[in-house]
């Protein structure tokens, strides 16, 4: 965002694209970009077909360029790049703990009837998870993780199925409940790379590629490359969680290009 705002102020090409032909013309304020972006995201979430207005605008511009430059698009190439999310690298305990802290309210505490469970919940909510991880040995941490799971399980029992969906998701990813209602920590090897990496960005996934570990996303770009002397046009841009396989982008990319 900082690079974008700086270019809008000082890069003549960027200013021309915005219609700012005089050095005296003021570019939109930082708040204008954020509010506009927020409204576009809100529209996508609330519209009937979840329409992405950026994507629709991009498609129309590309279609016009295809006609103007008479680009056939018979041959395309694709490339993927991992993008890290701007989130802290949390330990397993921090992921579960921070999700609980973000989800629980004072009313939730009052709804728990078991006095011991309620006291544990109050202690967890007042705790600094990072400091706990730093000073706790592995055996004690295993006990704390087990207690944390029991507390969350009891808390979720007081809510409807449609409440605290993120906390339910994290609990389901990290714990198992047997038919007698006993809560146990799920084996680490059985936790999917699509599991929540940080409650502040629940869509981000984990991936290790070429020795690079990323918690975030994979973006795939498709462009034409078949005709010498004509511009290569970007025809498709896709963003998925980081653990998405590269071949999963192909079908949509070709359909969009067509």
């Amino acid at each position: 965002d900082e690079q974008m705002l700086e270019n809008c102020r000082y890069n003549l090409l960027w200013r021309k694209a915005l219609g700012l032909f005089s050095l005296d013309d003021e570019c939109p304020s930082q708040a204008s970009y954020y509010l506009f972006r927020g409204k576009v995201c809100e529209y996508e979430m609330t519209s009937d077909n979840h329409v992405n207005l950026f994507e629709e605008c991009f498609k129309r511009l590309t279609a016009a360029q295809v006609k103007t430059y008479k680009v056939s698009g018979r041959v395309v190439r694709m490339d993927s790049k991992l993008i890290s999310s701007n989130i802290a690298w949390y330990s397993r305990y921090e992921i579960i703990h921070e999700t609980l802290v973000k989800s629980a309210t004072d009313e939730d505490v009052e709804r728990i009837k078991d006095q011991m469970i309620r006291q544990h919940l109050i202690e967890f909510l007042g705790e600094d998870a990072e400091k706990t991880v730093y000073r706790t040995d592995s055996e004690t941490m295993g006990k704390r993780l087990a207690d944390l799971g029991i507390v969350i399980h009891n808390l979720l029992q007081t809510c409807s199925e449609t409440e605290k969906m993120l906390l339910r998701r994290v609990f389901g990813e990290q714990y198992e409940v047997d038919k007698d209602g006993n809560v146990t920590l799920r084996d680490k090897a059985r936790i999917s790379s699509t599991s929540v990496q940080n409650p502040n960005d629940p869509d981000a996934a984990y991936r290790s590629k070429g020795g690079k570990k990323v918690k975030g996303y994979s973006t795939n770009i498709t462009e034409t490359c078949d005709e010498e002397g004509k511009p290569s046009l970007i025809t498709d841009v896709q963003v998925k969680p980081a653990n998405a396989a590269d071949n999963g982008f192909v079908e949509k990319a070709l359909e969009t290009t067509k």
Side-chain angles (χ1 to χ4, degrees), residues 30-98:
Q30 180 173 324
S32 296
Y33 288 109
Y34 292 142
L35 290 172
F36 174 67
R37 185 184 300 169
K39 288 182 179 296
V40 170
C41 292
E42 181 182 357
Y43 181 84
E44 182 177 2
M45 294 175 65
T46 57
S47 60
D48 293 337
N49 297 317
H50 299 289
V51 178
N52 183 327
L53 294 176
F54 281 121
E55 185 176 21
E56 291 300 309
C57 181
F58 173 80
K59 285 180 178 179
R60 293 181 186 180
L61 287 169
T62 304
Q65 290 172 327
V66 166
K67 294 177 181 178
T68 300
Y69 298 109
K70 296 181 173 59
V71 176
S72 71
R74 285 191 297 267
V75 180
V76 297
R77 61 184 173 194
M78 304 172 64
D79 193 18
S80 295
K81 181 177 178 61
L82 293 176
I83 301 177
S84 296
S85 175
N86 186 26
I87 53 177
W89 283 69
Y90 278 170
S91 66
R92 188 178 190 181
Y93 184 79
E94 289 174 295
I95 292 171
I96 302 170
H97 180 276
E98 292 305 310

Side-chain angles (χ1 to χ4, degrees), residues 1 15 40 59 106 169 195 233 237 250:
D1 288 345
R15 290 179 62 82
V40 170
K59 285 180 178 179
D106 292 338
R169 175 185 167 188
S195 63
L233 298 179
V237 179
V250 176

Side-chain angles (χ1 to χ4, degrees), residues 2-244:
E2 289 179 355
Q3 290 176 339
M4 178 191 72
L5 293 167
E6 182 177 353
N7 275 291
C8 289
R9 292 189 179 97
Y10 305 113
N11 189 313
L12 295 180
L13 288 175
W14 282 58
R15 290 179 62 82
K16 183 179 180 181
L18 290 172
L20 306 176
F21 299 104
S22 169
L23 293 178
D24 295 327
D25 293 335
E26 290 284 342
C27 68
S29 68
Q30 180 173 324
S32 296
Y33 288 109
Y34 292 142
L35 290 172
F36 174 67
R37 185 184 300 169
K39 288 182 179 296
V40 170
C41 292
E42 181 182 357
Y43 181 84
E44 182 177 2
M45 294 175 65
T46 57
S47 60
D48 293 337
N49 297 317
H50 299 289
V51 178
N52 183 327
L53 294 176
F54 281 121
E55 185 176 21
E56 291 300 309
C57 181
F58 173 80
K59 285 180 178 179
R60 293 181 186 180
L61 287 169
T62 304
Q65 290 172 327
V66 166
K67 294 177 181 178
T68 300
Y69 298 109
K70 296 181 173 59
V71 176
S72 71
R74 285 191 297 267
V75 180
V76 297
R77 61 184 173 194
M78 304 172 64
D79 193 18
S80 295
K81 181 177 178 61
L82 293 176
I83 301 177
S84 296
S85 175
N86 186 26
I87 53 177
W89 283 69
Y90 278 170
S91 66
R92 188 178 190 181
Y93 184 79
E94 289 174 295
I95 292 171
I96 302 170
H97 180 276
E98 292 305 310
T99 306
L100 172 62
V101 171
K102 286 177 69 70
S103 304
T105 64
D106 292 338
E107 290 76 15
D108 294 325
V109 175
E110 296 301 320
R111 284 204 296 262
I112 294 180
K113 304 303 181 184
D114 189 303
Q115 293 296 325
M116 184 176 294
I117 297 296
R118 182 191 296 180
Q119 186 58 40
H120 276 314
L121 175 57
I122 293 172
E123 291 173 0
F124 281 129
L125 294 179
E127 172 191 53
D128 186 325
E130 184 179 8
K131 291 181 179 179
T132 299
V133 172
Y134 179 75
R135 63 173 179 251
T136 305
D137 60 64
S138 58
E139 184 178 346
T140 306
M141 180 55 66
K143 177 68 168 58
R144 292 193 67 81
L145 280 166
D147 290 342
L148 190 56
I150 294 171
V151 169
I152 294 175
H153 181 60
N154 278 267
L155 173 61
L156 293 176
Q157 301 307 304
T158 67
C159 308
S160 69
E161 290 293 328
T162 57
E163 292 183 280
K164 305 192 186 305
M165 297 305 294
L166 181 59
L167 185 61
R168 288 185 186 280
R169 175 185 167 188
V170 170
F171 179 78
E173 292 168 346
Q174 301 288 343
Y175 296 93
E176 295 176 329
V177 182
D178 63 22
K179 60 182 180 180
D180 297 322
N182 299 313
V183 179
T184 56
L185 196 63
R186 188 183 296 273
D187 189 287
K188 212 168 186 179
R190 297 180 56 216
I191 298 177
S192 169
S193 59
T194 60
S195 63
V196 173
Q197 305 297 311
N198 185 311
N200 295 301
D201 189 357
D203 294 328
Y206 173 82
R207 184 174 183 181
S208 178
K209 182 180 180 182
K212 181 182 179 182
K213 297 179 180 180
V214 170
K215 291 185 177 183
Y217 302 89
S218 177
T219 182
N220 186 276
I221 310 296
T222 304
E223 67 172 348
T224 62
C225 60
D226 58 327
E227 295 172 282
E228 189 175 343
K230 291 191 177 182
S232 296
L233 298 179
I234 294 176
T235 56
D236 186 58
V237 179
Q238 299 179 62
V239 179
K240 295 183 179 182
N243 64 336

